[in-house]
Amino acid sequence: MKVIDKILEDEKKVVFSFEFFPPRTEDGVENLLERMDRMVAHNPAFCDITWRASNADLTLDIANKMQNMICVETMMHLTCTNMPVDMIDHALQTIKSNGLQNVLALRGDYDSKFVHIQGGFACALDLVTHIRATYGDYFGITVAGYPEAHPDVIEEDNGLATPESYQSDLAYLKRKVDAGADLILTQLFYDTDIFFKFVNDCRQIGITCPIVPGIMPINNYKGFIRMTGLCKTRIPAQVTAALEPIKDNEEAVRAYGIHLATEMCNKILAHGIRTLHLYTMNMEKSALAILMNLGLIEDAKISRPLPWRRPANNGKEDGESSQQIKGDNPTNCST
Ligand code: FAD
C-alpha cells in the first residue's frame, strides 16, 4: 500500500513512522531487525530505510526483510548520485517484485559530494520524472523538503539562506511534486516555527500534498553537534542553553532530547499536522519514549515473537538474495 494512502486514510488519526539506516556489520543488521520488530509492534504507518550508494544490495535486502518479514509498510530511499540509470531500474524492479510500493526519491551525496555520472540523473527531480514515466502510478513517491533551505545554499557566516535561495529551493520542491511526488518528508529541524513557516510557504506556492516533519531526537551531544553541523540546522538559543550544562552527561542529554522532541511534536500536532516521522538513528528508547509521552503508544515494553526468525534447521544463511527471501517467506504479512 502507498504511504500517502495510509496517511490520507483517516485524516483525523495521528500516525507516526520510523526511519532506520543500514548497519555496517551482519550482527548490526540482525540487531536492527530485532529492534525493528519490537518497534513495529507499536504500529507505525510505515518505516523507511536509507540508501547507501556504496552498498546498494544491503539496503535492498533490508528493505525486502522489512516489508516481507517484519511486515511493515516500507519506504526505501533511493539516490541517484553515482548511479547509472540501469542500476536505478534494477533497484526499482527489485523492490517492485518484492512488493514494496514506496520510494523516497533523492539526489544523494556520495562522500558528501554529489557525483553526476555520464547519462545519470542530475537531481531528485530527474529521478521522480523517471519513476513516473517508467512505472506509472505503481510507486508512492516521497521527496525531501528543507525547511531552512538545502544546506548547499545556507551561508557559512550567518547560517541562513538568502530569501532568493530559499524561494528558489521552494520553487524547485514544487517541480518535484508536480513531476509526481505525492508526499514531502522534511530535513530535521529544532525550531518548530521554521517548520510552520515552511509549510505555509509551500501552501502559498501551490504545494498541496502532505508535508511530514522529520524529528530527530537528541540522543547524545556529539552526535547532535555533528548532525546539525552537517545539515546546517539552526539551533534555538534555549536548546543550546539547556544542553550546555549537561553535555557530558549522556543520560541527561537523552532525557532532554526526549523532552524537547515531545514538546516539538505536541506543537506540531496542535498545529493540525497529523503525521510525525522519527529519525531513530537505529535506536529504540528515545523514539518510543516520545510516542509514550504523546499518548500515541500504550506500553513501550511491548514485545512480540520474532516471526521472521527461521527455525535453525531451515538451512538459509544471511546473504541470501532478496528473491530467495520472498520465495521462502516464513510469514504471511497480509494475514
Ligand atoms: P534535490 O531535490 O535534487 O535538490 C537538492 C537541492 O539542489 C535543491 O534543494 C535545490 O536547491 C538544488 N537543485 C537541484 N536541482 C535543481 C534545479 N534543477 N533547479 C534549481 N535547484 C536545484 N542521502 C543519502 O545518501 N541517502 C539517503 O537515504 C538519504 N535520505 C535522506 C532523507 C531525507 C528526508 C533528507 C532530507 C535527506 C536525505 N539524504 C540522503 C541526503 C540528501 O541526499 C542530500 O540532502 C542531497 O544533498 C540532496 O538530495 P535531494 O533529494 O534533496 O536533492
Side-chain angles (χ1 to χ4, degrees), residues 29-50:
V29 172
E30 176 93 357
N31 287 339
L32 177 63
L33 291 172
E34 288 188 18
R35 191 166 303 138
M36 271 183 201
D37 196 68
R38 290 193 298 271
M39 294 176 79
V40 164
H42 297 282
N43 248 337
F46 68 96
C47 290
D48 55 333
I49 182 80
T50 64

Side-chain angles (χ1 to χ4, degrees), residues 50-51 77 106-109 123-124 144 146 150 169 172 176 279:
T50 64
W51 182 258
H77 297 205
L106 297 147
R107 183 189 75 181
D109 299 308
C123 57
Y146 299 84
H150 188 274
D169 225 40
Y172 171 73
K176 293 198 282 190
Y279 291 116

Side-chain angles (χ1 to χ4, degrees), residues 7 14-17 46 211-213 268-269 273-277:
I7 290 176
V14 175
V15 296
F16 57 87
S17 50
F46 68 96
I211 301 174
V212 177
I268 290 166
L269 294 174
I273 288 163
R274 319 304 283 165
T275 309
L276 301 170
H277 183 71

Side-chain angles (χ1 to χ4, degrees), residues 92-152:
L92 291 165
Q93 291 290 359
T94 302
I95 59 170
K96 188 174 177 206
S97 68
N98 287 333
L100 275 83
Q101 255 196 295
N102 297 287
V103 179
L104 174 46
L106 297 147
R107 183 189 75 181
D109 299 308
Y110 195 80
D111 276 343
S112 14
K113 277 268 165 292
F114 173 66
V115 180
H116 183 184
I117 57 160
Q118 209 179 359
F121 299 137
C123 57
L125 172 62
D126 289 353
L127 181 56
V128 174
T129 306
H130 174 77
I131 297 172
R132 278 285 170 254
T134 313
Y135 303 88
D137 273 344
Y138 176 79
F139 287 109
I141 306 177
T142 301
V143 289
Y146 299 84
E148 303 180 36
H150 188 274
D152 285 355

